[in-house]
Short mmCIF file of all heavy atoms in Angstrom, two decimals:
data_model
loop_
_atom_site.label_atom_id
_atom_site.label_comp_id
_atom_site.label_asym_id
_atom_site.label_seq_id
_atom_site.Cartn_x
_atom_site.Cartn_y
_atom_site.Cartn_z
N ASN A 127 8.12 -10.35 2.53
CA ASN A 127 7.50 -11.55 2.87
C ASN A 127 6.21 -11.18 3.69
O ASN A 127 5.40 -10.37 3.22
CB ASN A 127 8.34 -12.55 3.62
CG ASN A 127 9.58 -12.93 2.82
OD1 ASN A 127 9.36 -13.20 1.55
ND2 ASN A 127 10.63 -13.17 3.31
N LYS A 128 6.10 -11.57 4.95
CA LYS A 128 4.95 -11.14 5.71
C LYS A 128 5.31 -10.05 6.80
O LYS A 128 4.44 -9.65 7.53
CB LYS A 128 4.36 -12.40 6.48
CG LYS A 128 3.73 -13.43 5.47
CD LYS A 128 3.14 -14.50 6.34
CE LYS A 128 2.53 -15.60 5.29
NZ LYS A 128 1.87 -16.69 6.02
N ASP A 129 6.55 -9.66 6.78
CA ASP A 129 6.99 -8.66 7.80
C ASP A 129 6.93 -7.25 7.17
O ASP A 129 7.27 -7.03 6.17
CB ASP A 129 8.45 -9.06 8.08
CG ASP A 129 8.61 -10.35 8.79
OD1 ASP A 129 7.56 -10.86 9.42
OD2 ASP A 129 9.56 -11.06 8.50
N LEU A 130 6.45 -6.35 8.02
CA LEU A 130 6.45 -5.00 7.73
C LEU A 130 7.81 -4.36 8.04
O LEU A 130 8.37 -4.34 9.10
CB LEU A 130 5.37 -4.25 8.74
CG LEU A 130 5.36 -2.69 8.51
CD1 LEU A 130 4.85 -2.38 6.98
CD2 LEU A 130 4.31 -2.10 9.49
N VAL A 131 8.54 -3.95 7.01
CA VAL A 131 9.81 -3.38 7.04
C VAL A 131 9.77 -1.93 7.63
O VAL A 131 10.41 -1.66 8.62
CB VAL A 131 10.49 -3.39 5.66
CG1 VAL A 131 11.85 -2.63 5.81
CG2 VAL A 131 10.57 -4.84 5.17
N ARG A 132 8.76 -1.08 7.05
CA ARG A 132 8.72 0.25 7.52
C ARG A 132 7.50 0.86 6.96
O ARG A 132 6.98 0.51 5.91
CB ARG A 132 10.06 1.01 6.90
CG ARG A 132 10.09 2.47 7.44
CD ARG A 132 11.22 3.17 6.66
NE ARG A 132 12.48 2.57 7.11
CZ ARG A 132 13.24 3.02 8.24
NH1 ARG A 132 12.75 4.00 8.86
NH2 ARG A 132 14.31 2.54 8.58
N GLU A 133 6.93 1.83 7.79
CA GLU A 133 5.90 2.72 7.30
C GLU A 133 6.47 4.17 6.96
O GLU A 133 7.25 4.66 7.70
CB GLU A 133 4.91 2.87 8.28
CG GLU A 133 3.73 1.75 8.37
CD GLU A 133 2.58 2.06 9.16
OE1 GLU A 133 2.53 3.16 9.88
OE2 GLU A 133 1.59 1.36 9.16
N ILE A 134 6.06 4.68 5.83
CA ILE A 134 6.75 5.86 5.34
C ILE A 134 5.66 7.02 5.13
O ILE A 134 4.63 6.69 4.64
CB ILE A 134 7.48 5.63 3.94
CG1 ILE A 134 8.46 4.52 4.11
CG2 ILE A 134 7.90 6.94 3.35
CD1 ILE A 134 9.07 4.07 2.82
N ASP A 135 5.97 8.15 5.76
CA ASP A 135 5.07 9.24 5.60
C ASP A 135 5.68 10.18 4.58
O ASP A 135 6.73 10.73 4.76
CB ASP A 135 5.05 9.99 7.03
CG ASP A 135 4.07 11.04 7.08
OD1 ASP A 135 3.53 11.41 5.97
OD2 ASP A 135 4.00 11.76 8.05
N LEU A 136 5.09 10.27 3.45
CA LEU A 136 5.48 11.10 2.39
C LEU A 136 5.38 12.55 2.61
O LEU A 136 6.19 13.39 1.88
CB LEU A 136 4.68 10.83 1.09
CG LEU A 136 4.81 9.44 0.36
CD1 LEU A 136 4.10 9.40 -0.91
CD2 LEU A 136 6.37 9.22 0.07
N TYR A 137 4.65 12.98 3.72
CA TYR A 137 4.65 14.45 3.94
C TYR A 137 5.95 14.90 4.41
O TYR A 137 6.34 16.03 4.20
CB TYR A 137 3.59 14.63 5.08
CG TYR A 137 2.18 14.91 4.56
CD1 TYR A 137 1.80 14.44 3.27
CD2 TYR A 137 1.28 15.60 5.29
CE1 TYR A 137 0.47 14.61 2.77
CE2 TYR A 137 -0.05 15.77 4.81
CZ TYR A 137 -0.46 15.29 3.55
OH TYR A 137 -1.75 15.38 3.10
N ASP A 138 6.74 14.01 5.02
CA ASP A 138 7.99 14.43 5.48
C ASP A 138 8.95 14.78 4.28
O ASP A 138 9.70 15.67 4.42
CB ASP A 138 8.82 13.15 6.22
CG ASP A 138 8.19 12.81 7.63
OD1 ASP A 138 7.60 13.84 8.11
OD2 ASP A 138 8.32 11.71 8.04
N PHE A 139 8.77 14.15 3.18
CA PHE A 139 9.47 14.50 1.92
C PHE A 139 8.95 15.62 1.22
O PHE A 139 9.52 16.49 0.79
CB PHE A 139 9.60 13.24 1.04
CG PHE A 139 10.24 13.36 -0.17
CD1 PHE A 139 11.63 13.67 -0.28
CD2 PHE A 139 9.68 13.23 -1.45
CE1 PHE A 139 12.32 13.92 -1.45
CE2 PHE A 139 10.34 13.43 -2.66
CZ PHE A 139 11.64 13.68 -2.73
N LEU A 140 7.60 15.51 1.04
CA LEU A 140 6.95 16.59 0.20
C LEU A 140 6.87 17.93 0.83
O LEU A 140 6.97 18.95 0.13
CB LEU A 140 5.49 16.10 -0.12
CG LEU A 140 5.29 14.77 -0.88
CD1 LEU A 140 3.77 14.36 -1.08
CD2 LEU A 140 5.92 14.89 -2.28
N LEU A 141 6.83 18.00 2.23
CA LEU A 141 6.64 19.38 2.75
C LEU A 141 7.98 19.67 3.39
O LEU A 141 8.13 21.05 3.62
CB LEU A 141 5.56 19.19 3.88
CG LEU A 141 4.17 18.93 3.56
CD1 LEU A 141 3.20 18.91 4.65
CD2 LEU A 141 3.60 19.80 2.41
N HIS A 142 8.78 18.80 3.87
CA HIS A 142 10.04 19.16 4.55
C HIS A 142 11.33 18.69 3.73
O HIS A 142 12.43 19.07 4.26
CB HIS A 142 9.96 18.68 5.95
CG HIS A 142 8.84 18.88 6.70
ND1 HIS A 142 8.40 20.25 7.11
CD2 HIS A 142 7.74 18.08 7.09
CE1 HIS A 142 7.28 20.11 7.73
NE2 HIS A 142 6.77 18.87 7.78
N GLY A 143 11.23 17.93 2.74
CA GLY A 143 12.41 17.49 1.99
C GLY A 143 13.08 16.40 2.82
O GLY A 143 14.33 16.17 2.43
N LEU A 144 12.62 15.70 3.78
CA LEU A 144 13.31 14.74 4.46
C LEU A 144 12.92 13.27 3.95
O LEU A 144 11.74 12.94 3.93
CB LEU A 144 12.95 14.83 5.99
CG LEU A 144 13.21 16.10 6.60
CD1 LEU A 144 12.77 16.13 8.09
CD2 LEU A 144 14.77 16.45 6.58
N ARG A 145 13.92 12.52 3.54
CA ARG A 145 13.69 11.16 3.06
C ARG A 145 13.89 10.18 4.25
O ARG A 145 14.89 10.19 4.94
CB ARG A 145 14.59 10.80 2.01
CG ARG A 145 14.39 11.57 0.74
CD ARG A 145 15.13 11.02 -0.40
NE ARG A 145 14.87 9.58 -0.72
CZ ARG A 145 15.37 9.02 -1.74
NH1 ARG A 145 16.13 9.59 -2.61
NH2 ARG A 145 14.99 7.75 -1.99
N ASN A 146 12.95 9.33 4.47
CA ASN A 146 12.91 8.42 5.58
C ASN A 146 12.84 6.92 4.97
O ASN A 146 12.07 6.18 5.60
CB ASN A 146 11.96 8.70 6.71
CG ASN A 146 10.55 8.70 6.16
OD1 ASN A 146 10.21 8.56 4.98
ND2 ASN A 146 9.51 8.95 7.03
N ASP A 147 13.28 6.78 3.76
CA ASP A 147 13.14 5.37 3.26
C ASP A 147 14.56 4.73 2.85
O ASP A 147 14.87 4.61 1.85
CB ASP A 147 12.33 5.39 1.96
CG ASP A 147 12.95 6.28 0.84
OD1 ASP A 147 13.64 7.23 1.21
OD2 ASP A 147 12.73 5.97 -0.37
N PRO A 148 15.41 4.70 3.96
CA PRO A 148 16.83 4.20 3.63
C PRO A 148 16.88 2.74 3.13
O PRO A 148 17.95 2.30 2.61
CB PRO A 148 17.49 4.44 4.99
CG PRO A 148 16.37 4.28 6.01
CD PRO A 148 15.12 4.77 5.40
N GLU A 149 15.87 2.01 3.41
CA GLU A 149 15.93 0.57 3.17
C GLU A 149 15.97 0.28 1.62
O GLU A 149 14.96 0.77 0.92
CB GLU A 149 14.79 -0.14 3.80
CG GLU A 149 14.83 -1.66 3.68
CD GLU A 149 15.84 -2.14 4.82
OE1 GLU A 149 16.08 -1.33 5.78
OE2 GLU A 149 16.26 -3.28 4.74
N LEU A 150 16.94 -0.40 1.03
CA LEU A 150 16.82 -0.72 -0.30
C LEU A 150 15.88 -1.85 -0.60
O LEU A 150 15.73 -2.68 0.22
CB LEU A 150 18.27 -1.15 -0.81
CG LEU A 150 19.34 0.00 -0.74
CD1 LEU A 150 20.68 -0.58 -1.18
CD2 LEU A 150 18.99 1.25 -1.54
N LEU A 151 15.31 -1.98 -1.88
CA LEU A 151 14.31 -2.89 -2.14
C LEU A 151 14.99 -4.21 -2.46
O LEU A 151 16.14 -4.13 -3.03
CB LEU A 151 13.51 -2.56 -3.35
CG LEU A 151 12.62 -1.17 -3.10
CD1 LEU A 151 12.05 -0.81 -4.47
CD2 LEU A 151 11.59 -1.45 -1.98
N GLN A 152 14.35 -5.25 -2.12
CA GLN A 152 14.96 -6.65 -2.38
C GLN A 152 13.80 -7.43 -3.18
O GLN A 152 12.69 -7.09 -3.20
CB GLN A 152 15.22 -7.44 -1.08
CG GLN A 152 16.48 -6.76 -0.40
CD GLN A 152 16.90 -7.53 0.98
OE1 GLN A 152 16.49 -8.70 0.95
NE2 GLN A 152 17.66 -6.95 1.66
N PRO A 153 14.21 -8.49 -3.89
CA PRO A 153 13.33 -9.23 -4.70
C PRO A 153 12.16 -9.67 -3.92
O PRO A 153 12.29 -10.22 -2.88
CB PRO A 153 14.13 -10.46 -5.24
CG PRO A 153 15.60 -9.97 -5.18
CD PRO A 153 15.71 -9.00 -4.04
N GLY A 154 10.87 -9.46 -4.47
CA GLY A 154 9.73 -10.02 -3.88
C GLY A 154 9.08 -9.01 -2.88
O GLY A 154 8.06 -9.25 -2.33
N ASP A 155 9.68 -7.79 -2.58
CA ASP A 155 9.14 -6.82 -1.71
C ASP A 155 7.81 -6.21 -2.25
O ASP A 155 7.65 -6.20 -3.51
CB ASP A 155 10.15 -5.66 -1.44
CG ASP A 155 11.26 -6.05 -0.65
OD1 ASP A 155 11.35 -7.18 -0.10
OD2 ASP A 155 12.09 -5.19 -0.25
N THR A 156 6.91 -5.94 -1.33
CA THR A 156 5.64 -5.38 -1.69
C THR A 156 5.49 -3.99 -1.12
O THR A 156 5.80 -3.85 0.08
CB THR A 156 4.51 -6.33 -1.27
OG1 THR A 156 4.67 -7.60 -1.86
CG2 THR A 156 3.20 -5.67 -1.58
N ILE A 157 4.97 -3.09 -1.93
CA ILE A 157 4.72 -1.76 -1.47
C ILE A 157 3.21 -1.66 -1.46
O ILE A 157 2.55 -1.69 -2.55
CB ILE A 157 5.44 -0.60 -2.23
CG1 ILE A 157 7.05 -0.83 -2.09
CG2 ILE A 157 5.05 0.69 -1.80
CD1 ILE A 157 7.65 -0.13 -3.20
N LEU A 158 2.54 -1.30 -0.37
CA LEU A 158 1.05 -1.15 -0.33
C LEU A 158 0.69 0.28 0.06
O LEU A 158 1.32 0.86 0.96
CB LEU A 158 0.59 -2.12 0.83
CG LEU A 158 -1.01 -1.92 1.16
CD1 LEU A 158 -1.85 -2.29 -0.01
CD2 LEU A 158 -1.23 -2.67 2.32
N ILE A 159 -0.16 0.76 -0.84
CA ILE A 159 -0.73 2.12 -0.54
C ILE A 159 -2.17 1.94 -0.13
O ILE A 159 -3.02 1.73 -1.01
CB ILE A 159 -0.63 3.10 -1.77
CG1 ILE A 159 0.88 3.35 -2.12
CG2 ILE A 159 -1.35 4.34 -1.54
CD1 ILE A 159 1.53 2.34 -2.95
N PRO A 160 -2.45 2.11 1.09
CA PRO A 160 -3.82 1.92 1.62
C PRO A 160 -4.71 3.29 1.33
O PRO A 160 -4.10 4.15 0.91
CB PRO A 160 -3.62 1.84 3.21
CG PRO A 160 -2.36 2.50 3.34
CD PRO A 160 -1.52 2.42 2.27
N PRO A 161 -6.00 3.11 1.56
CA PRO A 161 -6.87 4.28 1.34
C PRO A 161 -6.39 5.40 2.35
O PRO A 161 -5.94 5.14 3.36
CB PRO A 161 -8.32 3.78 1.64
CG PRO A 161 -8.08 2.35 1.45
CD PRO A 161 -6.80 1.87 1.89
N ALA A 162 -6.79 6.60 1.89
CA ALA A 162 -6.43 7.69 2.76
C ALA A 162 -7.25 7.75 4.14
O ALA A 162 -8.34 7.25 4.11
CB ALA A 162 -6.69 9.00 1.94
N GLY A 163 -6.57 8.22 5.12
CA GLY A 163 -7.26 8.34 6.42
C GLY A 163 -8.14 9.59 6.49
O GLY A 163 -8.63 10.12 5.52
N LYS A 164 -8.02 10.15 7.72
CA LYS A 164 -8.78 11.40 7.94
C LYS A 164 -8.30 12.57 7.21
O LYS A 164 -7.08 12.72 7.09
CB LYS A 164 -8.81 11.77 9.52
CG LYS A 164 -9.50 10.78 10.33
CD LYS A 164 -9.35 11.18 11.86
CE LYS A 164 -10.23 10.30 12.69
NZ LYS A 164 -10.19 10.69 14.17
N GLN A 165 -9.10 13.29 6.68
CA GLN A 165 -8.69 14.47 5.68
C GLN A 165 -9.45 15.80 6.25
O GLN A 165 -10.64 15.67 6.56
CB GLN A 165 -9.08 14.13 4.22
CG GLN A 165 -8.33 13.00 3.67
CD GLN A 165 -8.51 12.86 2.25
OE1 GLN A 165 -9.66 12.97 1.79
NE2 GLN A 165 -7.55 12.55 1.38
N VAL A 166 -8.78 16.84 6.09
CA VAL A 166 -9.25 18.12 6.39
C VAL A 166 -8.88 19.13 5.26
O VAL A 166 -7.70 19.12 4.76
CB VAL A 166 -8.67 18.67 7.72
CG1 VAL A 166 -8.92 20.17 7.95
CG2 VAL A 166 -9.18 17.77 8.88
N THR A 167 -9.81 19.94 4.92
CA THR A 167 -9.59 20.98 3.80
C THR A 167 -9.36 22.26 4.49
O THR A 167 -10.15 22.62 5.36
CB THR A 167 -10.85 21.04 2.85
OG1 THR A 167 -11.03 19.74 2.37
CG2 THR A 167 -10.67 21.97 1.79
N ILE A 168 -8.31 23.03 4.12
CA ILE A 168 -8.15 24.36 4.60
C ILE A 168 -7.99 25.23 3.36
O ILE A 168 -7.30 24.98 2.50
CB ILE A 168 -6.96 24.40 5.52
CG1 ILE A 168 -6.75 25.82 6.06
CG2 ILE A 168 -5.60 23.93 4.78
CD1 ILE A 168 -5.72 25.87 7.30
N ALA A 169 -8.71 26.38 3.43
CA ALA A 169 -8.71 27.37 2.33
C ALA A 169 -8.64 28.75 2.90
O ALA A 169 -8.73 29.02 4.11
CB ALA A 169 -10.01 27.22 1.58
N GLY A 170 -8.41 29.63 2.00
CA GLY A 170 -8.28 31.04 2.40
C GLY A 170 -6.90 31.56 2.51
O GLY A 170 -6.02 31.13 1.78
N MET A 171 -6.66 32.34 3.64
CA MET A 171 -5.40 33.02 3.81
C MET A 171 -4.31 32.30 4.54
O MET A 171 -3.87 32.63 5.57
CB MET A 171 -5.70 34.41 4.46
CG MET A 171 -6.72 35.30 3.85
SD MET A 171 -6.54 35.51 2.06
CE MET A 171 -5.02 36.53 2.06
N VAL A 172 -4.01 31.14 3.91
CA VAL A 172 -2.85 30.42 4.39
C VAL A 172 -1.94 30.10 3.23
O VAL A 172 -2.24 30.44 2.06
CB VAL A 172 -3.26 28.91 4.96
CG1 VAL A 172 -4.09 29.14 6.20
CG2 VAL A 172 -4.18 28.27 3.80
N ARG A 173 -0.59 29.67 3.44
CA ARG A 173 0.28 29.62 2.48
C ARG A 173 0.16 28.40 1.48
O ARG A 173 0.54 28.63 0.35
CB ARG A 173 1.69 29.52 3.02
CG ARG A 173 2.03 30.63 4.05
CD ARG A 173 3.46 30.70 4.44
NE ARG A 173 3.70 31.78 5.43
CZ ARG A 173 3.99 33.11 5.04
NH1 ARG A 173 3.98 33.38 3.82
NH2 ARG A 173 4.04 34.05 5.94
N ARG A 174 -0.46 27.38 1.97
CA ARG A 174 -0.65 26.27 1.02
C ARG A 174 -2.10 25.75 1.23
O ARG A 174 -2.30 24.72 1.88
CB ARG A 174 0.30 25.21 1.26
CG ARG A 174 1.73 25.41 0.78
CD ARG A 174 2.55 24.12 0.79
NE ARG A 174 2.58 23.57 2.33
CZ ARG A 174 3.63 23.80 3.15
NH1 ARG A 174 4.59 24.52 2.79
NH2 ARG A 174 3.55 23.31 4.23
N PRO A 175 -3.08 26.39 0.68
CA PRO A 175 -4.37 25.95 0.88
C PRO A 175 -4.60 24.57 0.01
O PRO A 175 -4.16 24.52 -1.07
CB PRO A 175 -5.33 26.99 0.16
CG PRO A 175 -4.45 28.01 -0.32
CD PRO A 175 -3.00 27.64 -0.18
N ALA A 176 -5.07 23.56 0.71
CA ALA A 176 -5.26 22.23 0.19
C ALA A 176 -6.03 21.38 0.92
O ALA A 176 -6.40 21.66 2.02
CB ALA A 176 -3.86 21.70 -0.20
#
Side-chain angles (χ1 to χ4, degrees):
N127 297 323
K128 295 183 179 181
D129 300 325
L130 178 63
V131 177
R132 184 182 295 270
E133 275 194 355
I134 297 168
D135 184 356
L136 287 185
Y137 275 23
D138 291 338
F139 179 63
L140 297 175
L141 300 183
H142 309 294
L144 303 176
R145 293 189 59 173
N146 56 0
D147 63 333
E149 192 77 25
L150 297 181
L151 297 175
Q152 294 187 13
D155 283 3
T156 300
I157 299 166
L158 172 66
I159 294 85
K164 293 182 178 180
Q165 291 182 320
V166 169
T167 303
I168 184 166
M171 308 308 291
V172 292
R173 300 189 184 278
R174 288 191 301 263

